[in-house]
Amino acid sequence: MKSSPLETRVVPISAGPGRLRLLDQRRLPREEAWIDCRSADDAAEAIRSLAVRGAPLIGVAAAWGLALEAGRLAARGGERFDADWEEAAARIAEARPTAVNLGAAVERVRTAFRSSLGASPAERAALLAAEAERFEAEDRAACEAMARHGAAWIAARVGAPGAGPLGVLTHCNAGALATAGVGTALGVIRALAADRPVAVFADETRPFWQGARLTAWELAKDGLDVTILPDVAAASLIASGRIGAAIVGADRIAANGDVANKVGTYGVALACRAHGVPFVVAAPRTTLDPACPTGRQIPIEWRDGAEVLLLDPSGESRLSVAPPGVPALYPAFDVTPAALVDAIVTEAGVSTPPHAEGLARLLALP
Ligand code: MRU
């Protein structure tokens, strides 16, 4: 049965006091396999290896990983409860550098941990589980609010439904697989599709194939119309007039509105500007980093170039088309300048240029 527009059948995390299971996204769409985490280090390894990925979901997984760690250390007993937990928190915060949601989640749980000093270790573990639960629920609610704000903004910009479906292009996966809810960019697409026919074009997103493997799997599972295209075809598709809007997620947004997202996003934004197509970013406020003045200060993750050389770096095949011995570069993210971003959709509303003012206003809202 098809899910209703703001629901999804895709759930990448299952957690509660003393348990954390993560859908292993490296194995999608081949199989739905789950990883049972027993410690914060297990969660950190899942984040590092891209078994769990997507900025908001990384934060939620880290929050639950730290709650799990408190329970593990409480059951173990001994003097080093605080010290060992703090060290685990520092390690998980380092698992990946670009998504600011990870640091924000660790900071949130750390604050709860430090303010519960008088309680027993078991009580503190229960408090952290409650905090992780709240954090997860907030992300879910943020996705729904973004979906509504973003769909309303795009509908107003592109006008009433025409004869054919509205073509929407997206890059990477900013969906239910990247959040605790219906997704950021894909949440907006789900809300748009509730009111009009929408044809989604998913960039395949080399080399990890988040578009071809994850976005396509998730949207097809929920009954949406999705077509995969090579990343290199995005510019000509945008130029063809078949795309009404492009919408992507973000891993970190600087105070001036520069947006770090999966590498390839910048090219999509350039093509959109060249052809007058709205370029929209959807991200919860946990992705905004007011301490980062511009995109130049955003740490960009460089992954092993070997991942670029393999046809399927998340799979078991070691097949490569490249000649042996030739190196490759893999900056996992790029920065789209604020000037190319027509709208930044958050759960608190939409920022339009100038984004420095727009984002500060959204951050000041309750
Ligand atoms: O390397 P990934 O798969 O974690 O990169 C994910 C992205 O770049 C997403 O577009 C971004 O995190 C937004 S997810 C709602």
Side-chain angles (χ1 to χ4, degrees):
M1 195 179 69
K2 182 182 180 301
S3 312
S4 81
L6 281 188
E7 285 173 7
T8 176
R9 299 161 121 196
V10 176
V11 181
I13 184 166
S14 167
R19 65 185 178 83
L20 172 59
R21 298 183 80 216
L22 299 168
L23 182 62
D24 188 343
Q25 299 192 26
R26 295 168 302 182
R27 301 166 84 140
L28 289 175
R30 293 184 293 275
E31 57 173 332
E32 289 178 51
W34 289 80
I35 297 171
D36 269 307
C37 295
R38 309 235 169 269
S39 65
D41 284 341
D42 285 352
E45 180 49 28
I47 292 170
R48 206 172 291 117
S49 66
L50 302 187
V52 55
R53 34 66 50 203
L57 186 63
I58 290 173
V60 173
W64 277 113
L66 290 174
L68 190 68
E69 183 70 9
R72 188 183 78 82
L73 295 173
R76 185 201 64 183
E79 298 293 297
R80 285 191 47 88
F81 178 76
D82 278 80
D84 283 351
W85 188 91
E86 293 280 1
E87 284 170 18
R91 283 194 298 275
I92 204 167
E94 299 287 300
R96 292 188 74 191
T98 302
V100 71
N101 311 58
L102 175 58
V106 172
E107 205 41 54
R108 168 97 173 247
V109 180
R110 192 185 271 138
T111 303
F113 185 77
R114 290 180 184 168
S115 58
S116 65
L117 265 178
S120 71
E123 287 166 340
R124 294 174 81 188
L127 281 170
L128 292 201
E131 191 66 12
E133 179 89 58
R134 272 191 293 276
F135 192 73
E136 179 178 342
E138 285 166 18
D139 185 57
R140 200 173 303 121
C143 287
E144 293 192 8
M146 272 181 274
R148 294 196 175 89
H149 289 308
W153 190 90
I154 291 175
R157 180 73 185 255
V158 300
L166 173 68
V168 179
L169 184 128
T170 190
H171 188 75
C172 194
N173 172 271
L177 284 170
T179 63
V182 290
T184 58
L186 297 192
V188 172
I189 289 175
R190 285 181 164 93
L192 271 172
D195 288 333
R196 64 201 303 159
V198 171
V200 184
F201 293 91
D203 280 357
E204 59 190 1
T205 318
R206 278 268 295 145
F208 198 67
W209 310 105
Q210 284 94 334
R213 291 190 304 106
L214 307 180
T215 294
W217 181 77
E218 142 166 13
L219 293 183
K221 196 172 169 86
D222 280 343
L224 280 97
D225 171 357
V226 58
T227 301
I228 298 163
L229 68 148
D231 301 334
V232 288
S236 56
L237 188 70
I238 289 165
S240 75
R242 289 175 67 191
I243 300 299
I247 179 154
V248 299
D251 285 78
R252 192 184 296 233
I253 301 178
N256 71 342
D258 290 349
V259 173
N261 192 49
K262 179 54 54 193
V263 67
T265 301
Y266 182 23
V268 171
L270 283 167
C272 283
R273 179 54 54 90
H275 298 284
V277 171
F279 177 79
V280 179
V281 174
R285 287 183 295 178
T286 46
T287 303
L288 305 182
D289 187 358
C292 229
T294 74
R296 278 194 299 280
Q297 290 80 35
I298 296 178
I300 297 296
E301 175 181 10
W302 283 73
R303 295 185 68 85
D304 189 344
E307 293 184 30
V308 174
L309 300 175
L310 295 176
L311 283 182
D312 182 8
S314 67
E316 269 134 41
S317 157
R318 309 311 288 165
L319 202 62
S320 164
V321 287
V326 177
L329 291 181
Y330 185 6
F333 299 93
D334 60 24
V335 175
T336 299
L340 295 177
V341 181
D342 294 299
I344 299 176
V345 178
T346 73
E347 70 276 33
V350 180
S351 166
T352 50
H355 290 300
E357 282 83 348
L359 295 177
R361 176 180 58 78
L362 293 175
L363 273 174
L365 292 173

